[in-house]
Amino acid sequence: MILKDEPLTVATLIRKFLRQISLTWLLTLCETTLTALIPLFMGFAIDGLLKGDMDALIRLAAILAGLIVIGVARRVYDTRAYGTIRVALGTELIGRSGNAPVSRQNARLGMGRELVDFLETEMPAVMNSVVQLTIALVILFTFHPYLSYAAMASAVLMILIYWAFHGRFFRLNGDHNHQTEKQVKILESRAPARLLSHLDRLRRIEIRLSDTEAFVYGAIFLVLLAFIVFNLWFAATHLAASVGTIFSIISYSWEFVESALVLPMTLQGWSRLTEIMQRINRPQETA
């Protein structure tokens, strides 16, 4: 089997299924690049139409058409490629389970799927974010360096806010996974008191996770809101810009915010995955 005697990690899946993953990520990069260019060409189209010039509008339409074609092709291919990886990983996980309780096998089968979900969903989102952040920074810099500097400062603050809570996310995800592994065994016991205790413990862990997320994202949104307000104020009061240019500045500032929010969400997902990879690769007798 392709995963036999290999550690079950995200890096292993990328190495063993490099061809399939590389193709879907290439399509993702093409789709993301076209998406990131849309606000710029919309700004050009606005200025062109105000002058009676249709050329910029035609170029915008061509980009949108290319985006549709690539987006459909990527989604059709993704389902097949990642479905194959899920089958291979799930089969290997169960093969390594030995005589482990069904409860643990069931939980770890679900956890293993999260590794593939990360490759299929979170990694393309990160790639989208990096491309869009880069394009947004470059274009904002061309309008005025201060617009780009404000974006970079907000990104640094955002990562620092998340990093301060990384350990707590890791610990709470570990508690949640540990409790989930017991679920089928508790259901088999048909003991209402044990089931109630189990569900209540899951609820309390999920509440602590949710409260932590709410605090972290509240702080991050404050930083990004300040960035948007600054760029809007600066563009309107310090730049001799056309309507289309101001539209592009605000669009790319907002695009930066949307892309930047992907990073802490991905880091949080990676905290959970790190704990899962340690858990599913742990020898069964000590798990």
Side-chain angles (χ1 to χ4, degrees):
M1 296 181 64
I2 193 168
L3 295 174
K4 185 175 177 60
D5 300 324
E6 295 280 352
L8 302 180
T9 65
V10 170
T12 298
L13 295 180
I14 293 174
R15 188 174 70 254
K16 292 294 183 178
F17 296 94
L18 184 61
R19 181 178 62 82
Q20 296 94 321
I21 293 173
S22 295
L23 179 54
T24 187
W25 284 359
L26 177 61
L27 291 172
T28 297
L29 284 174
C30 292
E31 183 179 1
T32 301
T33 301
L34 290 177
T35 301
L37 290 173
I38 287 174
L40 180 64
F41 279 84
M42 288 182 75
F44 292 156
I46 290 171
D47 287 341
L49 289 172
L50 290 175
K51 298 174 183 177
D53 184 0
M54 295 289 293
D55 290 346
L57 182 62
I58 293 172
R59 287 192 290 271
L60 175 62
I63 289 175
L64 292 172
L67 180 61
I68 292 171
V69 172
I70 293 174
V72 170
R74 181 181 69 82
R75 285 159 178 79
V76 169
Y77 181 74
D78 276 6
T79 305
R80 290 157 176 77
Y82 290 111
T84 300
I85 298 173
R86 285 189 181 91
V87 170
L89 179 59
T91 303
E92 184 64 23
L93 261 174
I94 296 303
R96 296 184 186 189
S97 296
N99 296 320
V102 173
S103 177
R104 183 175 299 170
Q105 293 186 39
N106 177 70
R108 294 195 174 185
L109 192 60
M111 292 177 195
R113 289 179 65 88
E114 291 192 35
L115 271 66
V116 185
D117 291 344
F118 183 83
L119 290 173
E120 182 177 11
T121 306
E122 277 79 4
M123 282 302 296
V126 171
M127 295 166 64
N128 290 347
S129 176
V130 170
V131 170
Q132 290 176 341
L133 285 173
T134 302
I135 291 176
L137 285 172
V138 170
I139 291 176
L140 288 174
F141 187 88
T142 63
F143 291 133
H144 196 285
Y146 282 1
L147 301 173
S148 182
Y149 296 158
M152 289 186 283
S154 65
V156 170
L157 285 173
M158 177 187 64
I159 297 300
L160 289 175
I161 290 170
Y162 172 80
W163 198 254
F165 290 86
H166 170 76
R168 178 172 175 81
F169 279 125
F170 183 90
R171 184 174 66 257
L172 289 174
N173 280 315
D175 292 343
H176 192 277
N177 290 336
H178 181 69
Q179 193 65 30
T180 301
E181 287 188 336
K182 303 176 181 179
Q183 184 160 287
V184 173
K185 186 176 181 180
I186 292 171
L187 289 172
E188 288 176 341
S189 72
R190 300 184 184 278
R194 288 188 64 191
L195 177 60
L196 179 60
S197 176
H198 164 71
L199 294 176
D200 186 61
R201 178 159 177 76
L202 283 177
R203 179 187 65 85
R204 285 185 277 115
I205 295 170
E206 288 162 358
I207 286 174
R208 289 199 293 271
L209 269 169
S210 178
D211 288 348
T212 304
E213 290 173 4
F215 182 83
V216 169
Y217 288 106
I220 288 172
F221 270 116
L222 280 176
V223 170
L224 295 177
L225 176 62
F227 157 68
I228 285 288
V229 170
F230 172 82
N231 273 16
L232 177 57
W233 167 79
F234 191 88
T237 61
H238 288 70
L239 300 180
S242 66
V243 174
T245 298
I246 291 179
F247 172 82
S248 293
I249 289 172
I250 300 308
S251 295
Y252 277 104
S253 296
W254 182 248
E255 185 172 294
F256 181 89
V257 168
E258 291 183 317
S259 301
L261 286 173
V262 172
L263 299 180
M265 288 189 287
T266 303
L267 288 172
Q268 182 183 339
W270 184 253
S271 296
R272 175 170 173 78
L273 275 190
T274 300
E275 201 285 331
I276 286 175
M277 288 187 287
Q278 290 180 8
R279 185 174 296 268
I280 64 177
N281 285 288
R282 196 179 301 158
Q284 290 298 324
E285 62 272 17
T286 61

